[in-house]
Amino acid sequence: MKSLLPPALRPGDRIGVVAPAGPVREADLDGGLACLERRGYRVSPGTHLRSRQAYLAGGDDERAADLNRLLADPEIRAIWFARGGYGAPRIIDRIDFRPLKRHPKALIGYSDLTVVHAAAYRRLGIATFHGPMVSELGHRAAYDEGSLWRALEGDGRSFAHEIPAASIVREGAGEGPLVGGCLSLLVSLVGTSYEPPLRGAILFWEEVGEEPYRIDRMLAHLRLAGRLKGLRGMVVGRLVNCQPKDPANDLPLAEILAAHLRGTDFPVVVDFPAGHCPGKITLPLGRRVRLDSAAGRLALSAR
């Protein structure tokens, strides 16, 4: 699948901000919006951006309408998600991605927005960005500022990250589109029409708040569904608060991976600084990358 690359952002561009998942925290949202405006962008908030309905940012109809309006507006150059939480899977079947074919735009976020990234890639092959939420932009320690703005404002050919030797589980090299996000969301899409194609891909996954046995179970699901066999590489992001409640029941990640990757030979690295972690780097999902664990490098492919 050939990637559809959104154009680079420039100060003065209009950025839509929407909350298709959980409700925003007002102070964090205001800090993030101010950060975008200081950088020279014009912000177009979703009509229901500050709504709340229990653990959702408003009703399903409201959240879907906000996202669809921004997707269809040709003056919006990017859609930046306000926060994660939960809610995107409830409305993904109501989202019309077709306007992106005529007017590609950057989609930025992570966590529950894994579903939106996956659906946009499955529908159109559009490249998106696994990066900080708007509500995090006012907290500089929450994300890597350099990688964020290089990804969004650069020429699209500058992503590269060095991988320390301690993070290499299996040496080798592989190329393919970088696909993934939060593991639990990826597993929830298996068998649906929004599941991103993994055969021939470099799979990136990360998690937060899941004990080792749950990560084990999710990887088993992907293996049993045949989704791990055709990979060209695996990049495991930061696993945040994923310790077992009972240390006696701990199983190291290396053992979990060995059990489910038996019979494969693609390169594998762990503890990559992306996901629900401070200093998260921004990843170009949907772009062809080369993972060379022997050289300790993940970078956009020259092809």
Side-chain angles (χ1 to χ4, degrees):
M1 184 183 294
K2 186 175 181 180
S3 297
L4 179 62
L5 185 63
L9 294 180
R10 295 289 179 264
D13 285 346
R14 189 173 294 280
I15 294 177
V17 177
V18 65
V24 301
R25 299 177 180 90
E26 296 284 343
D28 291 338
L29 175 64
D30 290 341
L33 296 177
C35 179
L36 291 176
E37 291 171 347
R38 284 195 302 270
R39 198 161 180 95
Y41 291 106
R42 296 178 293 160
V43 175
S44 293
T47 303
H48 305 97
L49 176 61
R50 298 176 188 270
S51 297
R52 181 175 191 132
Q53 182 176 310
Y55 49 78
L56 302 169
D60 291 347
D61 290 343
E62 296 171 339
R63 301 193 326 280
D66 273 3
L67 182 50
N68 280 328
R69 179 179 64 80
L70 293 174
L71 287 168
D73 188 341
E75 293 188 3
I76 298 293
R77 299 298 300 275
I79 298 176
W80 209 317
F81 300 109
R83 67 155 295 194
Y86 169 72
R90 292 175 58 113
I91 63 171
I92 197 62
D93 56 342
R94 309 182 191 198
I95 305 305
D96 183 4
F97 292 100
R98 290 175 297 177
L100 294 179
K101 193 168 185 178
R102 283 190 66 184
H103 301 286
K105 57 193 70 178
L107 305 178
I108 309 118
Y110 71 107
S111 193
D112 197 58
L113 283 310
T114 295
V115 172
V116 176
H117 291 309
Y121 184 64
R122 176 72 179 264
R123 291 286 185 266
L124 297 175
I126 191 163
T128 59
F129 298 96
H130 186 280
M133 306 292 189
V134 172
S135 293
E136 294 177 295
L137 295 180
H139 306 281
R140 294 298 175 85
Y143 61 100
D144 181 80
E145 190 172 6
S147 71
L148 173 65
W149 297 116
R150 281 194 300 273
L152 298 180
E153 299 176 346
D155 62 5
R157 292 181 288 276
S158 60
F159 173 78
H161 193 82
E162 303 302 316
I163 300 169
S167 292
I168 298 171
V169 172
R170 184 193 286 167
E171 289 193 352
E175 287 193 18
L178 184 63
V179 177
C182 193
L183 180 61
S184 54
L185 274 299
L186 293 170
V187 170
S188 76
L189 293 176
V190 170
T192 73
S193 61
Y194 306 99
E195 178 186 5
L198 293 184
R199 182 164 294 275
I202 304 293
L203 173 62
F204 162 75
W205 64 268
E206 52 88 19
E207 257 307 342
V208 60
E210 299 285 7
E211 291 192 64
Y213 81 92
R214 294 176 64 88
I215 291 173
D216 192 332
R217 183 170 64 196
M218 288 185 276
L219 289 174
H221 189 127
L222 291 181
R223 175 176 58 82
L224 294 171
R227 300 309 194 264
L228 301 180
K229 190 173 292 184
L231 295 178
R232 299 289 175 82
M234 178 180 287
V235 177
V236 181
R238 293 280 162 84
L239 305 181
V240 177
N241 297 329
C242 291
Q243 302 85 0
K245 294 179 181 177
D246 181 0
N249 291 328
D250 192 14
L251 194 62
L253 178 62
E255 291 188 29
I256 295 173
L257 290 172
H260 298 300
L261 299 183
R262 188 176 294 114
T264 66
D265 61 359
F266 49 77
V268 180
V269 300
V270 298
D271 200 34
F272 195 86
H276 292 73
C277 60
K280 63 180 68 64
I281 69 167
T282 297
L283 292 173
L285 297 180
R287 300 293 305 282
R288 188 174 183 86
V289 299
R290 178 176 176 82
L291 172 62
D292 189 338
S293 59
R297 187 174 174 85
L298 176 68
L300 288 178
S301 172
R303 292 198 286 152

